[in-house]
C-alpha cells in the first residue's frame, strides 16, 4: 500500500524516522505492508532525516492524481488548507490518516460522511493523546459497551507546564519555552494553554464513545493561564495537584462536555500522570473502568499512532467510526462542581461571618474556610459544596462588591 505524506514538521519527521527505522521489522511480520512513496511540504528543511529515497513535491494535489498512492497522511495541522486536503483526498478515493484534531472536531461529521460516500477510511488515532491507542479501542474493542463517561488529561504541553510549576518555582513563560523547545507545544501555544487543544480532543473522544457531533463553540473551556504560583503553592502545601482535565459524559440526555483545571488529591490516579504523559479514563456499562496512559505529545510518539492507522489499513484491519448524530449540549450554567475560592481580604474581625452571610445568601454551601496570612497578605480561602456554574458566577460578582474583599485571587474546581 503506497502512502503520500503531507507535512514534514515535528510529527511528519517522526513518521519518516519510524519508517526508516522499522519498515524491515514490519515487512518481516506481515505480507501486507506500507511503503512511503512521496512526501510533500513547502519547505523540507525542518526535517532532519534523509528524504532522498522518496518522491518530493511541493504540490499536495500531485499525491491525489498518483494512482499508486492509496493513503494520504495529513500532518500539517491547522484548519485550512488541511480541511481541503483531507476532503479532496477522500473525494479522490484515497484513505486519509491525520493527526488534525481541530479539523476533525469542527468538521468531523462532514468528513466522515465524505469518507463513507467514497468507500474509504478516515483515521485519526494520532489526533488524541499522542501514542496512546484510544480511538481504535473505542471503535472496536469497547464496541459491546454503552460508554458512560470519558475523561482525563489529553494535553501534553499543559501537563508538562503544570508538572514543572509544581516541582519548581519556575516561571510560567520559561516552562512554556522549554515545552516548545521539546516539540510538545503547538506553533501557537495559546491553543494548548487556553484549553482549545483539549476541547478538540474531548470532542473526538465523545464522537467515538457516544457517536455524537457537538458544536465546539458551546463547550465549557478554561485553560491554565490564570493559574498562579500562589495556587500551586497552596495545592503543594496540602499534598494536592492541579491538572487540566477534559470530560465527556451523558447528563439528562445531553452531552456534558467540559475542559478546565481541577485540584486533585495526591492519591488520585491522574495526580501521578506527569510531564508530557496523558491519561484517559473510560467507563463502560460492561467493561467497567479502564485507564489508558502514555506519551501524549512529541513527534515520535504521535507518529507511532499515525503508523498504527496506516498499517491497519495495509492489513485491512482499520476501525470504523460509527455515523455521528448531532447531540444537544448540557448547559454550562447548570454544570456542577465544588470550588476553592481564594480571596485577598482586609483585616477585619468579622471576616468569616461576613463571608458566610454572602455564601448563604447565594445558597452556596461551605465545606471549609481557612484564614491565612495577615496584613497585606491576608487571605480567606473557602471550599464550597457542589455548586452550579451559574450560581458560582453570581456569588463571585457579589463577593467582588464586598468592602472586605480586595481581590478574587483564584477560583479553582476541586475533585472529580
Ligand atoms: N500540543 C499537543 C499537546 C500536541 O501538547 O498535547 C499533541 O496533540
Amino acid at each position: 500500500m503506497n502512502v503520500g505524506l503531507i507535512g514534514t514538521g515535528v510529527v511528519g519527521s517522526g513518521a519518516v524516522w519510524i519508517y526508516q527505522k522499522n519498515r524491515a521489522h514490519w515487512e518481516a511480520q506481515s505480507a501486507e505492508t506500507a511503503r512511503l512513496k512521496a512526501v510533500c511540504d513547502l519547505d523540507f528543511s525542518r526535517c532532519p532525516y534523509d528524504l532522498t529515497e522518496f518522491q518530493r513535491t511541493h504540490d499536495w494535489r500531485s499525491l491525489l492524481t498518483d494512482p499508486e498512492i492509496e493513503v494520504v497522511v495529513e500532518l500539517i495541522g491547522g484548519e485550512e488548507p488541511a480541511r481541503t486536503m483531507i476532503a479532496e483526498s477522500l473525494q479522490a478515493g484515497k484513505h486519509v490518516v491525520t493527526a488534525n484534531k481541530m479539523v476533525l472536531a469542527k468538521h468531523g461529521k462532514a468528513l466522515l460522511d465524505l469518507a463513507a460516500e467514497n468507500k474509504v477510511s478516515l483515521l485519526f488515532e494520532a489526533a488524541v493523546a499522542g501514542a496512546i491507542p484510544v480511538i481504535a479501542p473505542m471503535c472496536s474493542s469497547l464496541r459491546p459497551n454503552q460508554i458512560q463517561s470519558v475523561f482525563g488529561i489529553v494535553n501534553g504541553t499543559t501537563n508538562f507546564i503544570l508538572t514543572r510549576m509544581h516541582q519548581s518555582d519556575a516561571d510560567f513563560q520559561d516552562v512554556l519555552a522549554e515545552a516548545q523547545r521539546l516539540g510538545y507545544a503547538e506553533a501557537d501555544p495559546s491553543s494548548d494553554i487556553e484549553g482549545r487543544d483539549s476541547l478538540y480532543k474531548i470532542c473526538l473522544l465523545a464522537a467515538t464513545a457516544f457517536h455524537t457531533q457537538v458544536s465546539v463553540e458551546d463547550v465549557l473551556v478554561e485553560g491554565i493561564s490564570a493559574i498562579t504560583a500562589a495556587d500551586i503553592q497552596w495545592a503543594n502545601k496540602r499534598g494536592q495537584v492541579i491538572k487540566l482535565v477534559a470530560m465527556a459524559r451523558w447528563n439528562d440526555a445531553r452531552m456534558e462536555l467540559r475542559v478546565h483545571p481541577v485540584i486533585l488529591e495526591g492519591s488520585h490516579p491522574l495526580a501521578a500522570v506527569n510531564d508530557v504523559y496523558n491519561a484517559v479514563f473510560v467507563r463502560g456499562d460492561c467493561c467497567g473502568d479502564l485507564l489508558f496512559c502514555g506519551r501524549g505529545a512529541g513527534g515520535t510518539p504521535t507518529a507511532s499512532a499515525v503508523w498504527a492507522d496506516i498499517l491497519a489499513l495495509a492489513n485491512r484491519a482499520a476501525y470504523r467510526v460509527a455515523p455521528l448524530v448531532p447531540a444537544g449540549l448540557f448547559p454550562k450554567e447548570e454544570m456542577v462542581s465544588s470550588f476553592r475560592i481564594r480571596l485577598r481580604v482586609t483585616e477585619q474581625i468579622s471576616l468569616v461571618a461576613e463571608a458566610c452571610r454572602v455564601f448563604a445568601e447565594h445558597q452556596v454551601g461551605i465545606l471549609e474556610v481557612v484564614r491565612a496570612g495577615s496584613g497585606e497578605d491576608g487571605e480567606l480561602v473557602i471550599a464550597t459544596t457542589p455548586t452550579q456554574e451559574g450560581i458560582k458566577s453570581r456569588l463571585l460578582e457579589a463577593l467582588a462588591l464586598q468592602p472586605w474583599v480586595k481581590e478574587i485571587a483564584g477560583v479553582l474546581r476541586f475533585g472529580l
Side-chain angles (χ1 to χ4, degrees), residues 292-313:
F292 299 78
C293 186
R295 286 186 181 274
T300 312
T302 308
S304 166
V306 169
W307 277 108
D309 281 349
I310 301 170
L311 294 175
L313 284 166

Side-chain angles (χ1 to χ4, degrees), residues 321-340:
V321 181
L324 303 186
V325 179
L329 275 176
F330 189 80
K332 287 184 230 185
E333 293 287 287
E334 292 174 33
M335 289 183 193
V336 170
S337 299
S338 297
F339 296 89
R340 180 187 284 169

Side-chain angles (χ1 to χ4, degrees), residues 69-82:
I69 289 182
E70 286 182 70
V71 184
V72 172
V73 180
E74 180 279 306
L75 296 177
I76 65 164
E79 191 163 357
E80 286 293 353

Side-chain angles (χ1 to χ4, degrees), residues 39-332:
V39 291
C40 170
D41 210 328
L42 295 176
D43 170 15
F44 290 108
S45 65
R46 293 178 306 160
C47 181
Y49 309 114
D50 181 6
L51 299 174
T52 51
E53 67 172 299
F54 312 117
Q55 278 179 20
R56 276 153 289 146
T57 176
H58 300 308
D59 174 18
W60 62 270
R61 286 195 171 88
S62 69
L63 306 182
L64 277 49
T65 50
D66 181 339
E68 278 187 10
I69 289 182
E70 286 182 70
V71 184
V72 172
V73 180
E74 180 279 306
L75 296 177
I76 65 164
E79 191 163 357
E80 286 293 353
R83 190 205 60 81
T84 304
M85 289 171 176
I86 295 171
E88 289 193 21
S89 300
L90 296 169
Q91 280 162 333
K94 313 290 184 193
H95 301 291
V96 172
V97 172
T98 177
N100 197 318
K101 54 247 159 172
M102 185 200 282
V103 165
L104 289 168
K106 292 187 177 180
H107 308 284
K109 178 166 165 47
L111 292 171
L112 285 164
D113 289 348
L114 202 53
E117 272 166 39
N118 289 280
K119 300 190 170 40
V120 286
S121 294
L122 169 58
L123 304 180
F124 50 93
E125 185 65 78
V128 181
I132 308 172
V134 65
I135 299 296
M138 206 76 88
C139 296
S140 52
S141 334
L142 298 178
R143 201 142 206 169
N145 290 266
Q146 292 189 46
I147 304 296
Q148 291 157 337
S149 63
V150 183
F151 69 93
I153 297 168
V154 291
N155 183 268
T157 305
T158 47
N159 205 37
F160 179 88
I161 291 171
L162 289 172
T163 303
R164 285 286 182 277
M165 287 177 78
H166 270 285
Q167 287 169 342
S168 64
D169 286 332
D171 177 65
F172 177 85
Q173 288 302 336
D174 291 345
V175 179
L176 172 61
E178 190 185 352
Q180 284 175 307
R181 218 172 26 250
L182 292 168
Y184 300 151
E186 304 289 320
D188 172 6
S190 67
S191 175
D192 294 310
I193 291 159
E194 300 306 340
R196 287 193 304 280
D197 180 85
S198 295
L199 158 69
Y200 300 141
K201 291 168 177 169
I202 198 67
C203 286
L204 297 190
L205 287 170
T208 49
F210 306 110
H211 320 299
T212 52
Q213 161 88 16
V214 295
S215 161
V216 293
E217 308 310 327
D218 301 326
V219 178
L220 169 61
V221 181
E222 282 173 26
I224 64 164
S225 58
I227 294 175
T228 61
D231 291 321
I232 298 276
Q233 281 159 13
W234 187 269
N236 275 349
K237 261 191 246 157
R238 304 193 136 210
Q240 296 168 330
V241 180
I242 302 173
K243 295 290 185 190
L244 182 66
V245 170
M247 185 182 290
R249 65 181 168 206
W250 286 116
N251 188 345
D252 199 14
R254 289 163 292 181
M255 283 309 307
E256 178 175 327
L257 291 187
R258 38 159 99 193
V259 175
H260 53 66
V262 66
I263 303 167
L264 299 173
E265 293 304 325
S267 56
H268 193 284
L270 288 185
V273 178
N274 283 323
D275 295 318
V276 78
Y277 280 77
N278 285 187
V280 178
F281 272 98
V282 182
R283 176 165 295 167
D285 60 346
C286 310
C287 63
D289 288 350
L290 300 170
L291 175 60
F292 299 78
C293 186
R295 286 186 181 274
T300 312
T302 308
S304 166
V306 169
W307 277 108
D309 281 349
I310 301 170
L311 294 175
L313 284 166
N315 287 290
R316 314 283 161 205
Y319 53 88
R320 199 180 66 79
V321 181
L324 303 186
V325 179
L329 275 176
F330 189 80
K332 287 184 230 185

